[in-house]
C-alpha cells in the first residue's frame, strides 16, 4: 500500500495493496480493492521528472507526478482498476475488474463500468449509465444519462487514422448500443436510439430509431422496439 | 497473501500475493499465480456487511463475505485471475492472464480459458473446451464438451436491452465459433456447427452447418468444412 | 518484489511489486510499474519442474523455469504488463495496462502497445508501430514498420479451427487497420493498405488499397484516402 501524504481517505475498506496518489480524495464506504491505483500520472509528467533525473524511488516518482482524483462515496473500485489524475467520479459507482479511467474524465452518479472497460481520458459520462465489459471509449467521447453500452462496444475518434483531428462520438440520453458495435468517429447517436449488436455506425442516428448492419441502416422505430421488448420479457418471442 | 482460516490448500505452488477466501479448496499441484483471488464475494454480500457497519479490515471483509470455491488439481490460474464464490472448477484447467470467473459457474476438466476472458456467472462449461483470449460469456450461457470459442467471441443474453429477461445461448458439443463473432441472446448452436469469424448469429444454427455473415446465413456443411480443413492442413489451400 | 539473482537492472524506477525473472535485462530510465512481470515462464517449463517435484517456493519455481527477456531503455511497462521469456523489446517502447507479450517475440523501437493488447508469442513487430487497446495478435504474425492497428483489431492464424496449421497474417509497412476488424489466417495486407473499421478480411489486400465490409472488398485507393484525411483534418468533412 502507498497512500500519498496529500491524499484524503474517508473509507476504512481499502486494500493493503492499493495505491492512492497526489491530492486524491476517496469518499465514505467506498471499497478500494486489491491493486487499485487512484491518481496514476500521465506520461508527460512522469517523463519530465525522469528527464530531470528524479532521485527518489518508484512510489515517490508516481506521487510527485500525480494530480490526484476525486472518488465519491459508496463507490466500489474492483481489483486492478486504475484511475488517472484529474478524474472526478460521483457516488454509487461500481467498476468491474481491471477497468481503466484516464485523465480529465468526469463520471456522474449511479454508473456501472464493466470489467476491462477502457476510458481513454477527456470523456464525459452522465448519470445512471450502464457500461458492460470490454467497452472502449476514446478521448473526447460524450455520453448522456441513462445510456446502455453492451459488451465490447468499440467507439472511435479518428475517422482517417492517423490524422491530427480526434472527434469524439456523442451518445444522447437513453440510447442503447448493442454488443460489439463500432461507432465511427464523430457520429451522434440520438435520444433513445437503438443500435443492434454487431453494427458499424458510420452516420448520425436520429432519436428513437433502430439501426443494424455493416454499415448500419434504419430497420425499425423506438416505438416498435419497446413493443418487441415487452413480448420478449413475457417470453412470447 | 491472505489465506482464509477456512480454506484448504493442497498445493505448494502459491504466490505470496494470492488471496484465497472463505471455504475454498485448491487441489494438488495447482499453480496459484501472482494476484490471483479465489472466492471473491458478490456485491450483495459485501454491501450487506458494510451497511451493518463492519468494523474489521479489508481482507476480513472479503473473507467474511465469501462463499468459497473449489479448484481441482493440476490447474494453472495465471496472474490476475479472479474466481468468485460458489464456483466449481475441475482438474487440468488452465486460465490465461486476468481471467474472470464469476459466481455459480461450473467448469469441467481439461479446459483452457484464454487471457482476459470474462465468464459472468451462472455459466456451465463442459469438458475439453478451448476458449481463446477476450471471450465474453454472460449469465445463463451453457457450453457443451469439445467446444472451441475463438478470440473475442461475444455472447449476449438480453435480446432487447434493458429487458428483465436474460436468456443464455446454448452451444452444443463440438461446435466451433470463429473469432469476434457475436451470438444473440438465446440462440442454440447445434452439434459440430461452425460459425465463421466475424458473424452475427441471430437465429439457431442446425448441427453440422457452417454459417457466416451479418446476419449469419448457412454457407456450407460440416462435411465440406472437414475436407477444407484437411486441404488447409496439407498446405493445399 | 522479486528480482532474479541472474537479472541485470539498469533503471531505478522499478515498483516494489514488480517481478523480474531469469537472465533478464532492463535498460536505463525504463519504468517497471506495479505488478509487472518480466521473463514469465512457458507452461512447458513450469510443468516439467512440477512433475519432477520441485521443492522450493513460488518465486523460485518461476525463476528456475524462466529464460529471461531483454527490455531496452526509456521503455515504460505500465501496471500489470506481463512479458514472457525470450522476448526482445527495443528502446522507447510504451505498453498500456495489463498488456501481455508472450515468448519468442521481437519488438522494434518506438512502439506503442495499447492497454489489454495480447501478443501471443513468436510474433515480429517493426519500428514506429502504434497498436491501440485490446488488439489480439496470435502466433506467427509479422508486422512491418509504421503500421497502425486500431482498437480491438483481431488477427487470427487458423483458417479452419481446430487445425494443425497456424499461419500468421503479414502486415506490410505503413498499413492502417481500422477498429474491430478481423484478419483471417494467412492474409497479407500490402504496403500502405487501409482496412476500414469493422471489416472481415478474408483475402490478401494489395498495397495502397482501401477495403471495407464483411467480407472486405476494395472501395477506394490510398491516394483518395490521403485526400479525404486532409479534408477531415481541415474540418471540411
Amino acid at each position: 500500500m502507498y497512500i500519498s501524504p496529500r491524499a484524503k481517505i474517508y473509507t476504512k475498506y481499502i486494500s493493503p495493496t492499493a495505491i492512492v496518489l497526489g491530492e486524491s480524495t476517496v469518499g465514505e464506504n467506498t471499497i478500494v480493492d486489491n491493486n487499485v491505483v487512484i491518481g496514476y500520472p500521465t506520461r508527460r509528467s512522469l517523463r519530465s521528472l525522469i528527464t530531470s533525473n528524479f532521485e527518489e524511488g518508484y512510489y515517490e516518482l508516481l506521487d510527485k507526478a500525480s494530480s490526484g482524483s476525486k472518488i465519491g462515496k459508496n463507490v466500489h473500485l474492483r481489483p486492478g482498476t486504475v484511475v488517472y489524475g484529474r478524474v472526478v467520479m460521483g457516488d454509487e459507482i461500481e467498476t468491474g475488474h481491471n477497468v481503466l479511467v484516464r485523465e480529465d474524465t468526469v463520471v456522474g452518479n449511479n454508473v456501472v463500468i464493466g470489467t476491462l472497460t477502457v476510458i481513454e481520458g477527456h470523456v464525459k459520462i452522465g448519470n445512471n449509465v450502464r457500461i458492460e465489459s470490454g467497452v472502449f471509449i476514446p478521448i473526447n467521447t460524450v455520453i448522456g444519462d441513462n445510456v446502455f453500452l453492451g459488451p465490447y462496444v468499440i467507439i472511435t475518434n479518428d475517422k482517417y487514422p492517423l490524422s491530427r483531428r480526434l472527434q469524439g462520438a456523442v451518445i444522447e440520453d437513453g440510447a442503447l448500443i448493442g454488443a460489439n458495435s463500432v461507432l465511427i468517429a464523430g457520429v451522434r447517436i440520438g435520444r433513445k436510439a437503438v443500435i443492434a449488436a454487431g453494427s458499424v455506425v458510420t452516420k448520425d442516428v436520429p432519436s428513437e430509431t433502430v439501426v443494424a448492419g455493416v454499415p448500419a441502416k434504419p430497420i425499425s422505430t423506438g416505438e416498435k422496439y419497446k413493443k418487441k421488448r415487452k413480448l420478449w420479457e413475457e417470453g412470447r418471442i
Side-chain angles (χ1 to χ4, degrees), chain A:
Chain A
M1 177 150 49
Y2 177 87
I3 307 286
S4 171
R6 295 183 283 159
K8 291 188 179 120
I9 312 286
Y10 298 104
T11 180
K12 56 181 175 270
Y13 307 118
I14 183 162
S15 164
T17 59
I19 297 176
V20 184
L21 300 161
E23 291 185 31
S24 294
T25 64
V26 181
E28 275 176 67
N29 287 336
T30 282
I31 305 174
V32 182
D33 246 319
N34 225 21
N35 294 315
V36 166
V37 184
I38 297 172
Y40 188 88
T42 59
R43 174 174 173 74
R44 184 178 300 189
S45 46
L46 277 174
R47 277 290 156 201
S48 86
L49 284 174
I50 289 178
T51 305
S52 68
N53 203 19
F54 186 80
E55 281 298 339
E56 297 175 71
Y58 169 78
Y59 287 137
E60 289 73 17
L61 174 73
L62 291 191
D63 190 31
K64 181 149 190 195
S66 172
S67 313
S69 276
K70 190 173 180 323
I71 311 294
K73 60 189 180 189
N74 295 319
V75 171
H76 187 175
L77 302 178
R78 285 208 179 73
T81 292
V82 175
V83 179
Y84 276 51
R86 300 190 303 270
V87 169
V88 179
M89 292 178 85
D91 302 332
E92 315 282 345
I93 291 171
E94 184 186 351
T95 72
H97 300 257
N98 295 312
V99 164
L100 178 63
V101 182
R102 285 187 50 184
E103 64 272 17
D104 298 296
T105 291
V106 178
V107 183
N109 298 316
N110 191 27
V111 171
V112 176
I113 305 175
T115 292
L116 301 175
T117 283
V118 172
I119 300 174
E120 278 280 70
H122 302 269
V123 167
K124 192 169 174 347
I125 296 174
N127 299 308
N128 310 313
V129 170
R130 185 178 176 85
I131 300 171
E132 292 284 337
S133 293
V135 173
F136 180 76
I137 304 175
I139 290 171
N140 295 342
T141 307
V142 177
I143 297 174
D145 296 335
N146 304 306
V147 165
F148 171 78
L149 301 180
Y152 287 88
V153 167
I154 310 299
I155 306 175
T156 69
N157 63 4
D158 187 359
K159 195 162 177 179
Y160 297 95
L162 297 160
S163 86
R164 283 163 306 196
R165 173 182 169 202
L166 299 183
Q167 189 176 349
V170 176
I171 303 177
E172 296 184 350
D173 297 353
L176 306 171
I177 319 287
N180 211 30
S181 292
V182 178
L183 306 189
I184 298 300
V187 296
R188 175 176 287 266
I189 310 298
R191 293 187 75 245
K192 298 189 181 178
V194 179
I195 314 297
S199 302
V200 176
V201 182
T202 58
K203 296 177 180 172
D204 291 356
V205 176
S207 63
E208 308 253 3
T209 303
V210 182
V211 302
V214 184
K217 289 178 180 161
I219 59 161
S220 184
T221 66
E223 198 63 35
K224 286 180 188 159
Y225 180 84
K226 270 184 280 186
K227 280 181 189 155
K228 279 197 170 169
R229 181 162 63 190
K230 193 155 178 292
L231 292 173
W232 166 258
E233 286 182 332
E234 290 165 352
R236 291 161 68 189
I237 55 173

